[in-house]
Structure formats: structure tokens, C-alpha cells
Amino acid sequence: MPSHTEFRNSLHQIAPYKNFRFKLKWDENYVAGVSKAIGLTRTTEAITHRSSGDPKTTRAIAGQENYAPIKLERGVTYDLAFEQWANRVCDYQNSSAEGQQDGAGTKNVTLKDFRKDILLEVYNEAGQLVLAYNLHRCWPSEFTALPESGNAVAIQSLTLENEGWERDTSVGELSEPSFTLPAS
């Protein structure tokens, strides 16, 4: 039997996890089931320089890290979490209940809840949590409430700017459940 090092606890699994079962958690609550998550991409800028002792050879060192926007998609539901957050960001000067007027009548704006730390969880086909990522200081830069018309499921999308992400290593590989026949 060939060795499948990709899956240590489930030797029968040789296919990677499918990209359609996600849950989002922010403010300590699950807010959405998501069918697509795109863009957990990190790039490191390469800074090139030449050493004075060897002017013909270019060397590269690691520079600034950049994190791509993350796009989340889900079917349209009655849940308002995406839309309320996007509305807060688009109109943050008027959406703050905690904003106070100073002596000159100018409203002091609070950015509470403007940025959120988010937990993105990935589930396998059996509904087991298999991966999780912590997304840092996210805010919505684009929200699509309804897609273009067509003969398909209506999809909402939310694009999140972020200041980094990391895998939650406390989520380990699980053994796949096995199917058992019902008692006859």
C-alpha cells in the first residue's frame, strides 16, 4: 500500500479537501456559512542590492510582506451580518452610536467594530473541522448584495482587506469517520 504522507491519520484519504465548506466567526459569534473563500495569499517583496565587493552579482533580501484581499462568497440569505458591516465601513462617520459632539459641534468618530479579527474555518465533507485561519484586522472594501441576473443561485460577496493571517495550529488532522450499515 502506498504511503500518503499528506494525511497521517486517515490513510484512505488521498484527495485534498474541497473548497466549499467554510464558517466565519467574528465578535465571538458564527456569522456566516461561506461557500467560497479566495485569496489567502501572502507575498514578500524582494529587495535587490549589489555588494560593493561584487558589483556584477545582484542579491535579494526579504522586504515588506503584503496580504491580498480575501473574497468570501455565499448564497443570498436573510442574514444581515455582511451587509451591516459593509454599511458601517462605507458610512462610518454616521454609523457610530458612540460618536460624541465636541464643543464646536463636530462629531468625533469612533472606529469601534470597523476592523475585526476573524476566524475562518474549513470543514470536510463529513462536517468535521479540518483547518482554521486567524485573519487579522479585516475590513470590508467591497460588498455585492445581489449578483447580475441570470439562471443561477444568487450569490453575495464580501471582499476583506486584512493585515495578515495565520493558520490556527490547534486544529489538527482528524480521522475520517467510517460508514456503518444500519441494523437490520
Side-chain angles (χ1 to χ4, degrees), residues 40 42 67 118-120 132-136 162-169:
L40 263 68
R42 173 179 44 228
Y67 295 89
I118 296 176
L119 179 65
L120 174 65
Y133 291 91
N134 294 302
L135 314 176
H136 303 292
N162 66 93
E163 293 184 5
W165 50 266
E166 61 195 5
R167 186 168 173 171
D168 183 347
T169 57

Side-chain angles (χ1 to χ4, degrees), residues 141-163:
S141 61
E142 182 178 333
F143 172 65
T144 303
L146 289 172
E148 294 180 24
S149 61
N151 189 16
V153 173
I155 301 293
Q156 282 185 335
S157 68
L158 184 69
T159 301
L160 300 176
E161 303 299 322
N162 66 93
E163 293 184 5

Side-chain angles (χ1 to χ4, degrees), residues 101-145:
Q101 300 254 343
D102 64 14
T106 304
K107 189 172 184 180
N108 295 320
V109 177
T110 177
L111 298 180
K112 182 181 181 213
D113 300 326
F114 180 81
R115 293 182 184 265
K116 295 182 182 294
D117 290 332
I118 296 176
L119 179 65
L120 174 65
E121 295 179 337
V122 181
Y123 290 81
N124 65 10
E125 291 182 82
Q128 296 174 304
L129 175 64
V130 293
L131 295 170
Y133 291 91
N134 294 302
L135 314 176
H136 303 292
R137 295 183 45 80
C138 300
W139 60 275
S141 61
E142 182 178 333
F143 172 65
T144 303

Side-chain angles (χ1 to χ4, degrees), residues 13-106:
Q13 177 155 351
I14 56 174
Y17 298 119
K18 294 186 177 175
N19 188 22
F20 64 88
R21 295 190 75 172
F22 304 95
K23 286 185 184 177
L24 289 180
K25 186 176 187 179
W26 69 57
D27 298 336
E28 302 300 320
N29 297 308
Y30 285 100
V31 294
V34 180
S35 58
K36 189 184 276 187
I38 303 167
L40 263 68
T41 303
R42 173 179 44 228
T43 58
T44 304
E45 180 182 347
I47 300 172
T48 58
H49 68 94
R50 293 185 184 183
S51 175
S52 61
D54 187 7
K56 292 183 181 181
T57 304
T58 303
R59 303 192 187 279
I61 59 173
Q64 181 177 351
E65 276 189 346
N66 295 304
Y67 295 89
I70 299 166
K71 186 171 185 176
L72 306 169
E73 293 182 357
R74 69 173 183 178
V76 173
T77 68
Y78 285 105
D79 180 60
L80 297 173
F82 279 14
E83 188 169 355
Q84 287 173 338
W85 189 22
N87 288 345
R88 176 174 291 247
V89 171
C90 290
D91 191 25
Y92 71 90
Q93 290 192 10
N94 296 320
S95 65
S96 172
E98 297 172 2
Q100 301 293 320
Q101 300 254 343
D102 64 14
T106 304

